[in-house]
Amino acid sequence: MAVVPNSAAGERLVGRETELSLLTRTLEALARGRGSVVEISGEPGIGKTCLTRTLVDLAAQRGIPAVRAHALRGDTASLQVFRDAWESRRAADGARQPFDEVGDRPADWAAGCVVVLDDVHLCDPASTALLVRLVRSVVPAPFLLTLAHRPAQTAPELREALDDGARAGTVTRIEPSPLDPDAVAALLADRSAPRDSGARTPAALQEFAIRLCAAAEGNPRYVRLLVAADWQPGHWPDRPGTDTAGLLREAKPLIAEFDALSPQAATTASAAAVTGSPFRPEDIAHISGLGMDSTLDALAELERTDLVRAADWKGGLAFRHPVVGHVAHERAGLSFRLRGHRRALELITGRGGRVRERARHAEYLLGTDAALAARTLADGAAEIAAQEPATAAYWLRLALESLPDGRADSTGRNELELARCRALIAAGQLDEARTRAHELLGRRPAALSERQLLQAHAVCVGAERQLGRYAEAAAIADAALGLLPRPLPDPLPAEVAELIIEHGLVHVLRGTHDQARALLREAVRTPSEADGTSEADRTVLRVLDALCVTHAGDLDEAIENVRHCARLVDALPDPLAGRTPETLALLGSAELYLERFTDAARHLGRGLTADHSGPQRPILLHRLLGLAMAEQWTGHLDASQRYAREAENLARSMGVRPAVALAQAIRATTLVWARGGEYADEAVALVEEATSATPPGHSWWTASATGLLAQARFLAGDAAGCRRTLLDSAGSRRLPQVRPFSRPFLLALLATATLERGDREEAERLVATAEAEARRLGLPVQDAHARCARAQLHMSDGEHDAAAKLFALAAEAFQSAGMPVQYAWTLVTSAPAVHEAHGPAEALGRLDAAEAIARSRTALLVRERVTRMRAELSKDARGAHPLGLLSDREREIVDLATAGLRTREIAERLFLSPRTVETHLSRIYRKLDVSSRLALSDLVRRTG
């Protein structure tokens, strides 16, 4: 990114490589004696003035004289902008000629000079006419004329002259484009960081820059205004930020635009700012008190000055950018704002407007009618809490602060406090939410009703959980269970459901599913209040129960429950589903365990956000880990690595070491599958790093990581390391305490590694155990892993026919489950048994199929295994004839090709397409290590 010092502005110029190149080129031409015209045009605040300052600096660096002048609004003196430029030039070189003698002939006093005229859309008519003549004429002397302007406000004749010059090549046109997020991030580096940036990761700061860039529409001036205002994404566009004084200090150029307006236009702008964009002229007339005719005249002036534009709203207008309206609002003055917002509130109430519209005005009336304002703000917060939680929390804070201290709960103070805590959690302000929730619980028991006490505990658990403080959350949740009426009331009240959900969530996320299962089962079987518990809450309860059943290994019941929950979740609209990411994460996890991989990836990825700094970080971590695993199993190896890296970075930022290990384990196995033996050492190193980072114990995080680490070692060719990882991870000779749905896989993996180490008896015992557990589960993929292990035993005993049959059944299961890489790996592994049982042609056919899949999935490890297996199977065949490596169809094609038939003729003879024949030939060349038909014919001739 180009960065040029700008001493006049005191800031860096960023993201303007193209513009700087054009300016430099014109200066180089001027140094060679050739003058020209440069036009810098664009939206207000886009950086035109910054570019003109940079041009002056660049000229000074080259020793080229430069003068700069601004056209001013309302200055009608003839040729004033040229007079100012000439005075600047005369002061520099001591010339004594009066302006009237040479002013309208810049070539006489600007030779070899850079003349920069800014804001020429404000020029007086005489200056505009002179500019048109200069643009349309060939520059008679070597000077550089640079014009900066806003096209929408520029005189038509000057715009036409510049357009003609740009087409003819006599005018260099520079139109600064909006900045991209990287340039905005560079601007942020030069200014005050957001107040909470110390807690942000680099990824979160980049995300902040992306969102700020979108809010400012890439406009540098608006970026600076929002940063000065301490912009908060959750409050935009209702408020520019929390620092009004900072906004006004940065907005001096914009305030000057308002100051230049007529009194009526200035009042109308203030009324429009009170109303909010977009606005209707009739509302502005009512709030300003100017009447419709005067208001329309004033709005016409605001449009001419480009402060107000037509909105995408029938008959409506809006400020050219929301921050312009915020500056106008703060400039309006306190008394005008109070009267204006009261009138606006009365107007909206009179026509039955939405509560949210009324609340926006009520927040400014707390000092004049606190009771009305507080009621309106509380109602508005309830309406927008799901969509705009940060604004809801802000309004609830204002409403609470307006209530007298010590007032009885008849005012609903506790309800407002609870609602505020929920809004703070949803907005990501978790520390404040936690503090408020603990304060609420710390009050005298009599201060809270039974219902409110349950709600306060649920909110407190939610805050602790989303902060990743699972131990604290579990302790509060378990203690709160004593407050529940037992047995659970029928129907189930909303506050009871809320506490049970939080209790279930914290235990599920902590891996202690068993501690929540009984209560969840009871809650699911208890009907809910028709007007209390929401459909979303009922769905969460069902999903939590289904996940606990899955972890317990009751898979028949779990499968039916998960299918039912999937139907419920799929019926939710996207906005509602996106507001309950816990439901998506838990459902996707259950589907992953039950081998419903496509559904799992769909639910885990639904509405997934790239923002890793929000309140849903713990849930996001689970979703990323689940997606990484689902993508690996379904053969999307690049996507798996990407999600695993995101999960690892997020887990590190949260300090969750077991999740770091699990993400690294997923990445290690994916790395081996995708990059093959060359990267085995790198994968094993990653495995060792993950192993050292894994804390002791048997949490499901640790157990899941252990299984994947063992698989990575086995794929990398380290059978002994695989056994060591599985058996010694807890200092014992037992498998880690994994969940039932993954035990057959780990037992089969351990059995295969044990067999490779030569312990046939122990391998037999492990395989039998894997088969028994797989039969009990009834999961096809787990059963396939057990079949593969049994097939390996058969091969070692020379029972190749039995091995081939088991491998075929396992491969079919992997293919049906949508696991292409595992399917291809099984085909390769089965090749020796198939070769012995059914001959080389069928074995080579399986290798061909595996290779095709591996190429499509970029699974280099499988391709390498295919190559080695072909070499092993061809040892005996090569002693007889090279064509022993080929299938029957491939030998037919070789016969015809060596007989001289062309591809199309072969295709017609064998009833194939020419493309299929070419594919067969390519495979034949690879198998026989030849590169052409000529080489193929030579090989056949030499070998007979």
Side-chain angles (χ1 to χ4, degrees), residues 69-72 75 77-86 116-118 120 123-124 127-128 131:
H70 272 83
L72 301 176
D75 193 341
S78 181
L79 298 176
Q80 184 60 52
V81 70
F82 284 97
R83 186 182 300 275
D84 292 344
W86 178 81
V116 177
L117 304 181
D118 204 350
V120 296
C123 278
D124 60 272
S127 294
T128 298
L131 285 173

Side-chain angles (χ1 to χ4, degrees), residues 261-275:
L261 297 170
S262 67
Q264 283 187 334
T267 300
T268 299
S270 298
V274 166
T275 303

Side-chain angles (χ1 to χ4, degrees), residues 331-408:
R331 178 189 170 279
L334 178 60
S335 60
F336 183 93
R337 292 200 301 269
L338 289 175
R339 285 193 297 269
H341 282 294
R342 177 169 288 282
R343 289 177 179 175
L345 180 57
E346 292 169 351
L347 183 66
I348 295 170
T349 303
R351 65 179 178 223
R354 292 177 57 195
V355 176
R356 190 210 187 289
E357 296 179 70
R358 301 202 299 270
R360 180 186 169 276
H361 297 288
E363 70 175 270
Y364 296 97
L365 304 178
L366 287 167
T368 58
D369 192 343
L372 171 64
R375 278 198 312 275
T376 307
L377 288 169
D379 292 343
E383 183 178 282
I384 69 167
Q387 296 83 12
E388 303 174 62
T391 298
Y394 173 70
W395 283 350
L396 288 165
R397 177 175 69 82
L398 295 179
L400 284 163
E401 289 175 351
S402 70
L403 297 177
D405 290 338
R407 190 166 178 180

Side-chain angles (χ1 to χ4, degrees), residues 96-404:
R96 299 194 177 274
Q97 284 179 290
F99 174 78
D100 293 338
E101 292 183 9
V102 297
D104 61 351
R105 299 192 303 278
D108 292 346
W109 52 266
C113 182
V114 175
V115 178
V116 177
L117 304 181
D118 204 350
D119 291 336
V120 296
H121 54 279
L122 302 177
C123 278
D124 60 272
S127 294
T128 298
L130 178 53
L131 285 173
V132 170
R133 291 199 302 273
L134 290 171
V135 170
R136 290 195 177 280
S137 64
V138 178
V139 179
F143 77 98
L144 177 60
L145 177 63
T146 302
L147 310 179
H149 69 111
R150 302 177 185 177
Q153 297 172 256
T154 302
E157 60 270 25
L158 180 53
R159 286 205 312 269
E160 183 180 355
L162 289 167
D163 287 341
D164 291 344
R167 283 192 293 269
T170 60
V171 172
T172 299
R173 173 167 285 172
I174 298 176
E175 297 176 292
S177 58
L179 299 179
D180 61 21
D182 289 337
V184 171
L187 281 181
L188 288 175
D190 290 338
R191 305 185 68 84
S192 298
R195 289 179 183 175
D196 64 341
S197 62
R200 294 175 184 260
T201 63
L205 286 172
Q206 180 64 23
E207 176 65 20
F208 181 86
I210 292 171
R211 298 176 72 175
L212 177 60
C213 182
E217 298 174 3
N219 187 297
R221 177 182 295 173
Y222 301 154
V223 170
R224 291 192 290 269
L225 287 171
L226 293 176
V227 172
D230 189 26
W231 181 73
Q232 303 295 321
H235 295 293
W236 179 258
D238 285 338
R239 284 178 298 285
T242 60
D243 189 351
T244 301
L247 173 67
L248 293 177
R249 282 194 301 271
E250 186 68 38
K252 289 178 182 178
L254 185 54
I255 291 173
E257 292 188 54
F258 285 110
D259 291 342
L261 297 170
S262 67
Q264 283 187 334
T267 300
T268 299
S270 298
V274 166
T275 303
S277 293
F279 50 82
R280 294 183 291 195
E282 60 184 298
D283 294 345
I284 304 306
H286 175 82
I287 293 171
S288 67
L290 292 174
M292 183 57 74
D293 288 342
S294 296
T295 297
L296 291 176
D297 291 340
L299 287 172
E301 181 181 344
L302 291 172
E303 283 193 280
R304 284 195 302 274
T305 57
D306 200 27
L307 288 165
V308 164
R309 297 173 179 175
D312 295 332
W313 186 57
K314 190 173 181 180
L317 297 166
F319 287 100
R320 68 176 182 240
H321 187 272
V323 77
V324 176
H326 289 302
V327 171
H329 183 270
E330 298 306 322
R331 178 189 170 279
L334 178 60
S335 60
F336 183 93
R337 292 200 301 269
L338 289 175
R339 285 193 297 269
H341 282 294
R342 177 169 288 282
R343 289 177 179 175
L345 180 57
E346 292 169 351
L347 183 66
I348 295 170
T349 303
R351 65 179 178 223
R354 292 177 57 195
V355 176
R356 190 210 187 289
E357 296 179 70
R358 301 202 299 270
R360 180 186 169 276
H361 297 288
E363 70 175 270
Y364 296 97
L365 304 178
L366 287 167
T368 58
D369 192 343
L372 171 64
R375 278 198 312 275
T376 307
L377 288 169
D379 292 343
E383 183 178 282
I384 69 167
Q387 296 83 12
E388 303 174 62
T391 298
Y394 173 70
W395 283 350
L396 288 165
R397 177 175 69 82
L398 295 179
L400 284 163
E401 289 175 351
S402 70
L403 297 177

Side-chain angles (χ1 to χ4, degrees), residues 694-714:
T694 303
H698 287 296
S699 75
W700 74 276
W701 299 88
T702 304
S704 300
T706 298
L708 287 167
L709 296 175
Q711 185 187 24
R713 284 192 180 277
F714 184 80

Side-chain angles (χ1 to χ4, degrees), residues 555-573:
L555 297 193
D556 288 339
E557 181 182 355
I559 289 171
E560 183 56 38
N561 287 356
V562 167
R563 284 175 178 164
H564 178 65
C565 291
R567 290 193 294 270
L568 293 175
V569 171
D570 289 341
L572 294 174

Side-chain angles (χ1 to χ4, degrees), residues 286-588:
H286 175 82
I287 293 171
S288 67
L290 292 174
M292 183 57 74
D293 288 342
S294 296
T295 297
L296 291 176
D297 291 340
L299 287 172
E301 181 181 344
L302 291 172
E303 283 193 280
R304 284 195 302 274
T305 57
D306 200 27
L307 288 165
V308 164
R309 297 173 179 175
D312 295 332
W313 186 57
K314 190 173 181 180
L317 297 166
F319 287 100
R320 68 176 182 240
H321 187 272
V323 77
V324 176
H326 289 302
V327 171
H329 183 270
E330 298 306 322
R331 178 189 170 279
L334 178 60
S335 60
F336 183 93
R337 292 200 301 269
L338 289 175
R339 285 193 297 269
H341 282 294
R342 177 169 288 282
R343 289 177 179 175
L345 180 57
E346 292 169 351
L347 183 66
I348 295 170
T349 303
R351 65 179 178 223
R354 292 177 57 195
V355 176
R356 190 210 187 289
E357 296 179 70
R358 301 202 299 270
R360 180 186 169 276
H361 297 288
E363 70 175 270
Y364 296 97
L365 304 178
L366 287 167
T368 58
D369 192 343
L372 171 64
R375 278 198 312 275
T376 307
L377 288 169
D379 292 343
E383 183 178 282
I384 69 167
Q387 296 83 12
E388 303 174 62
T391 298
Y394 173 70
W395 283 350
L396 288 165
R397 177 175 69 82
L398 295 179
L400 284 163
E401 289 175 351
S402 70
L403 297 177
D405 290 338
R407 190 166 178 180
D409 193 39
S410 59
T411 62
R413 177 183 289 275
N414 289 338
E415 295 295 335
L416 294 181
E417 288 279 15
L418 287 165
R420 184 185 175 195
C421 286
R422 293 190 184 98
L424 287 168
I425 290 173
Q429 301 173 48
L430 299 174
D431 288 321
E432 184 177 359
R434 177 182 177 276
T435 299
R436 297 289 175 188
H438 277 277
E439 287 178 357
L440 198 57
L441 282 176
R443 294 177 181 173
R444 290 178 295 108
L448 296 171
S449 67
E450 291 183 6
R451 174 174 169 275
Q452 290 171 342
L453 194 57
L454 289 172
Q455 290 176 317
H457 277 88
V459 167
C460 198
V461 173
E464 298 282 11
R465 170 177 62 81
Q466 298 210 43
L467 282 166
R469 298 161 58 95
Y470 293 146
E472 293 86 344
I476 297 170
D478 292 345
L481 296 185
L483 303 173
L484 290 175
R486 303 310 306 269
L488 295 179
D490 183 359
L492 192 67
E495 63 275 8
V496 174
E498 182 183 11
L499 180 59
I500 293 173
I501 286 172
E502 286 298 340
H503 176 262
L505 280 172
V506 71
H507 280 294
V508 164
L509 296 179
R510 197 183 182 198
T512 51
H513 302 70
D514 296 342
Q515 297 183 36
R517 186 184 178 194
L519 184 59
L520 285 168
R521 174 53 47 88
E522 184 181 355
V524 166
R525 293 176 176 174
T526 304
S528 300
E529 286 184 349
D531 299 327
T533 307
S534 68
E535 183 60 36
D537 284 348
R538 287 192 286 271
T539 301
V540 173
L541 282 170
R542 292 189 181 102
V543 171
L544 280 168
D545 177 60
L547 186 60
C548 287
V549 171
T550 303
H551 274 261
D554 301 332
L555 297 193
D556 288 339
E557 181 182 355
I559 289 171
E560 183 56 38
N561 287 356
V562 167
R563 284 175 178 164
H564 178 65
C565 291
R567 290 193 294 270
L568 293 175
V569 171
D570 289 341
L572 294 174
D574 280 343
L576 185 56
R579 290 199 300 271
T580 55
E582 293 91 351
T583 307
L584 295 170
L586 300 173
L587 176 59

